[in-house]
Amino acid sequence: MGEPERAIDCDGLTRSFPAGVALDALTLDVRRGEVLALLGPNGAGKTTTMRLLNGVLQPDRGTATVLGLDPWTDGEAVRHRTGVLTENAGLDERFTALENLEFVGRLRGMGGDEARRRGGELLERFGMSDRADVRVQGFSTGQRKRVALARALLHDPELLFLDEPTSGLDPAATRDVVELIGSLASDHGRTVVLCTHFLGEAGKLASRMAVLFRGVLHAFGTPEELARDLWSAFEVRLDLGAAASGPLLARLGELGPVHGAAPTSSGALVRLEQRDDIPAVVAACVAAGAEVYAVEPRDPNLEDLYFAIEARAAGTVAAGAP
Amino acid sequence: MSAGRLDHAAIRAVLRKDLTAIGRSKAVVLPMLVVPIILLVLLPASVGLAAQDRSIDIDRFLSLLPSGLTEPITGRPPDEQLIVLVLGYLVAPLFLIVPLMVSAVIAGDAFAGEKERKTLETLLHLPARDRDLYVAKLLVGFLPSVAVAWVGFALYCVVANLVAWPVMHRPFLPTAQWAVLILWVAPAVAAVGLGIMVRVSIRVSNTQEAQQLGGAVVLPLVILAVGQTTGLMLAGTGPTFLVGCAAWALAAWLNVRGARAFTRERMAARL
Ligand SMILES: Nc1ncnc2c1ncn2[C@@H]1O[C@H](COP(=O)(O)OP(=O)(O)OP(=O)(O)O)[C@@H](O)[C@H]1O
Ligand SMILES: [Mg+2]
């Protein structure tokens, strides 16, 4: 069987609910072994996308190919090869952690022994082996999340859909999970679709990100591509020992390559066309009698990017500045 | 999505999980043991003991029934008539009502319980097909209700024969009618109840709602069973068997429709 190079390919995927359009003509692709971050505020359509791609919901329009199959017509085959961590852990409180895993293992066609063995290993890996035989009822959010993550990995799926995998986890557990997701992709060649609100983990893990807003895809690509898309300008933070004076700002503003200058507590934030324009700015400051202690080029971080995309999506003007 | 065979591993996994959960829940197990013991063993036993009082006049009661039906009673020696009427015929409805109740209680939980416990979405993301999930949930209600009916009847036979011994001097149960009723009609009636309750359970959002709505729908069946079962038994094995066939046909129709009504998409759209 010739394995397609892409794990997911979707084109114009659309789904409405009586209350409105949850996902509007989503077109994107996910390569094998890639971590794709699906970002967006509450109600953006991330969970809906996951459900559509795993054949749980039927699209109104559009097509999707997941692991070479149509998730709607070949749902069982797709779901055999995918693992899902849903937003709320969805564990059965009447059972122990290991029993929850055993049920899913059996349903996936494993024998009882095999399911328990795999489950035990994974619980150990997530630091839950001492609670394996305790009923889930009294578990904390983070403990539930770990059990649910173990459940998603039970059958060693090729493609993982993780819906907010670190929400509710403490910093140490968050770091562990982020590392784990990273190693699944980089060491084990697994493909991961990661829905998240946390830009930090998206930045660490994802090779590409897709930003959804009210069901519409507003940006899709590597962070660098998105930055290039959004920021034509180059930003520099000037440390002048004190906030820049009005006359200095006016003078900087008059320079040809400067697109804008704003005071900060210790100097100014200046937007330039390119890096080569920095010396002229420094010279202008010195000529105006200001002392320049430091000049730091400032790359937009993921957060800037995200808010810029969101602002653009929301229709407010986002003419480049974070 | 209807082609193909059932996925037995998936069905067994769901059955195993749900039956284990039922077994662990005192709130379900206790009523499931106590109610059948009261209705199928203690009540018949005490009624049977009372029926040994030969001063009770049963002719008035028998005269209420169509004369053609009373033959199985009136054809017996006078001192056997009362106990055979009571233990052989009057208690029969209980053996339809109890499995109906057990299946209704369990099936109300089938999908509503998954919603209430927030485990439904996980279930939908697993590979089991829609139809396998429906069949599994059907069996989760069916097996315990049939088990209760059959075990309850075995106990009942022992108790009833003991109670009747001073009058009959021989075991008189089970009879052919009873065999048809217990082996054929009772499971069919339970399956009808399941066809209704699983359907209800798909629609509502928690178990309590399922019980309320389901109770209203199942109640007419209970009344029907109470009113008609004794007459049916008196009419003989043939009519009893035919009524069983009708109940199975109804159950099949309800459950085929129920299985069609249950789709992932429909469930997920209400998550
Ligand atoms: N089953 C449903 N029935 C009705 N509306 C729905 C359903 N599922 C999603 N929606 C609507 O579709 C939109 C997208 O929802 P979705 O759950 O996909 O968002 P999300 O990006 O996962 O949000 P969050 O970050 O809050 O989890 C929302 O407006 C939501 O109200
Ligand atoms: Mg969501």
Side-chain angles (χ1 to χ4, degrees):
Chain A
M1 192 166 75
E3 286 293 315
E5 175 200 341
R6 285 169 170 179
I8 298 175
D9 223 326
C10 65
D11 188 7
L13 214 54
T14 301
R15 171 68 201 223
S16 304
F17 291 105
V21 182
L23 194 65
D24 194 359
L26 175 71
T27 300
L28 55 71
D29 63 273
V30 184
R31 302 185 192 112
R32 280 184 184 269
E34 173 181 38
V35 178
L36 176 88
L38 209 50
L39 300 169
N42 292 134
K46 304 182 294 292
T47 303
T48 303
T49 304
M50 253 181 51
R51 289 178 182 158
L52 286 166
L53 293 176
N54 209 30
V56 168
L57 278 176
Q58 181 176 19
D60 298 336
R61 278 192 305 283
T63 58
T65 308
V66 175
L67 302 171
L69 300 162
D70 178 339
W72 184 243
T73 54
D74 289 318
E76 294 85 43
V78 168
R79 288 189 293 272
H80 262 296
R81 295 162 63 187
T82 59
V84 176
L85 176 72
T86 51
E87 233 166 314
N88 63 40
L91 299 170
D92 197 325
E93 308 209 323
R94 303 167 301 176
F95 295 100
T96 68
L98 191 55
E99 284 168 341
N100 267 282
L101 301 191
E102 185 186 336
F103 162 62
V104 168
R106 284 180 186 273
L107 197 139
R108 289 187 174 281
M110 294 181 189
D113 289 339
E114 189 195 352
R116 274 191 302 276
R117 185 185 52 74
R118 268 291 286 172
E121 282 170 15
L122 284 162
L123 288 176
E124 182 161 3
R125 182 156 153 207
F126 293 121
M128 291 292 293
S129 46
D130 55 328
R131 312 216 70 176
D133 297 314
V134 179
R135 285 205 194 170
V136 170
Q137 197 158 27
F139 282 21
S140 71
T141 314
Q143 290 168 332
R144 284 164 196 256
K145 205 93 185 185
R146 289 186 230 186
V147 177
L149 200 53
R151 181 178 57 190
L153 294 171
L154 197 64
H155 54 300
D156 204 5
E158 292 161 61
L159 171 60
L160 274 158
F161 292 106
L162 305 177
D163 204 348
E164 302 179 21
T166 62
S167 72
L169 294 183
D170 59 40
T174 301
R175 191 194 52 208
D176 291 350
V177 167
V178 168
E179 274 171 15
L180 172 87
I181 296 170
S183 84
L184 282 170
S186 59
D187 307 341
H188 302 277
R190 302 290 175 248
T191 310
V192 180
V193 175
L194 175 72
C195 300
T196 184
H197 296 291
F198 298 112
L199 298 162
E201 78 191 31
K204 273 192 210 116
L205 291 168
S207 41
R208 290 190 295 168
M209 44 190 253
V211 184
L212 284 170
F213 190 80
R214 295 198 190 135
V216 178
L217 181 68
H218 277 275
F220 176 47
T222 63
E224 297 75 41
E225 284 167 352
L226 299 188
R228 223 176 301 138
D229 212 32
L230 282 163
W231 276 273
S232 50
F234 184 78
E235 243 179 8
V236 176
R237 190 182 288 283
L238 291 178
D239 184 353
L240 306 173
S245 64
L248 175 58
L249 288 174
R251 185 136 173 206
L252 288 175
E254 283 160 16
L255 289 175
V258 171
H259 289 302
T264 65
S265 61
S266 64
L269 200 58
V270 182
R271 288 199 295 122
L272 307 168
E273 236 152 58
Q274 54 189 353
R275 204 178 139 82
D276 293 349
D277 303 326
I278 293 176
V281 169
V282 174
C285 289
V286 173
E291 283 165 336
V292 180
Y293 293 95
V295 181
E296 289 172 73
R298 185 171 165 279
D299 283 327
N301 59 28
L302 203 54
E303 211 153 299
D304 299 328
L305 259 179
Y306 178 81
F307 285 116
I309 294 166
E310 195 176 90
R312 190 175 67 178
T316 36
V317 190
Chain B
M1 300 193 68
S2 63
R5 291 185 303 143
L6 294 173
D7 175 353
H8 294 284
I11 292 174
R12 269 202 306 270
V14 175
L15 254 179
R16 185 187 186 96
K17 167 182 83 81
D18 282 0
L19 292 180
T20 308
I22 289 169
R24 281 185 190 171
S25 162
K26 285 200 192 75
V28 181
V29 171
L30 279 182
M32 253 177 66
L33 290 178
V34 171
V35 173
I37 286 176
I38 292 175
L39 289 185
L40 303 184
V41 180
L42 297 182
L43 179 70
S46 47
V47 171
L49 287 175
Q52 291 181 353
D53 178 354
R54 289 164 207 193
S55 64
I56 295 173
D57 177 17
I58 66 165
D59 293 341
R60 270 239 312 278
F61 176 79
L62 290 177
S63 67
L64 295 173
L65 294 168
S67 56
L69 285 182
T70 56
E71 213 287 320
I73 307 290
T74 52
R76 289 180 178 268
D79 55 348
E80 288 184 9
Q81 285 186 4
L82 180 58
I83 200 131
V84 168
L85 173 67
V86 172
L87 294 182
Y89 295 91
L90 287 184
V91 297
L94 293 176
F95 286 88
L96 298 186
I97 295 167
V98 167
L100 188 61
M101 276 168 32
V102 170
S103 67
V105 166
I106 296 175
D109 187 70
F111 293 103
E114 300 275 358
K115 289 181 216 173
E116 204 174 324
R117 290 187 291 275
K118 303 211 184 328
T119 47
L120 183 62
E121 181 169 16
T122 313
L123 194 64
L124 300 180
H125 276 292
L126 289 170
R129 290 170 193 231
D130 301 357
R131 201 191 36 193
D132 296 335
L133 289 176
Y134 184 90
V135 169
K137 291 295 187 180
L138 204 60
L139 289 175
V140 169
F142 189 69
L143 298 182
S145 62
V146 172
V148 164
W150 290 1
V151 172
F153 182 66
L155 288 175
Y156 172 75
C157 284
V158 173
V159 172
N161 282 324
L162 283 177
V163 169
W165 197 273
V167 180
M168 306 289 292
H169 309 293
R170 61 186 159 80
F172 75 108
L173 286 175
T175 60
Q177 285 108 301
W178 274 100
V180 174
L181 187 79
I182 298 298
L183 297 176
W184 180 244
V185 184
V189 170
V192 170
L194 287 168
I196 295 169
M197 287 304 288
V198 176
R199 191 77 178 275
V200 167
S201 189
I202 290 171
R203 287 168 175 269
V204 302
S205 58
N206 62 57
T207 305
Q208 197 186 354
E209 253 178 81
Q211 303 302 2
Q212 285 164 357
L213 185 57
V217 186
V218 171
L219 196 63
L221 279 179
V222 173
I223 293 168
L224 197 67
V226 169
Q228 303 305 318
T229 313
T230 298
L232 189 63
M233 294 281 280
L234 287 166
T237 45
T240 308
F241 179 79
L242 287 179
V243 166
C245 293
W248 277 118
L250 179 60
W253 180 74
L254 283 171
N255 282 300
V256 166
R257 285 190 46 146
R260 291 214 184 107
F262 175 76
T263 65
R264 247 187 184 70
E265 154 66 34
R266 193 172 297 185
M267 302 301 281
R270 291 189 212 148
L271 276 174

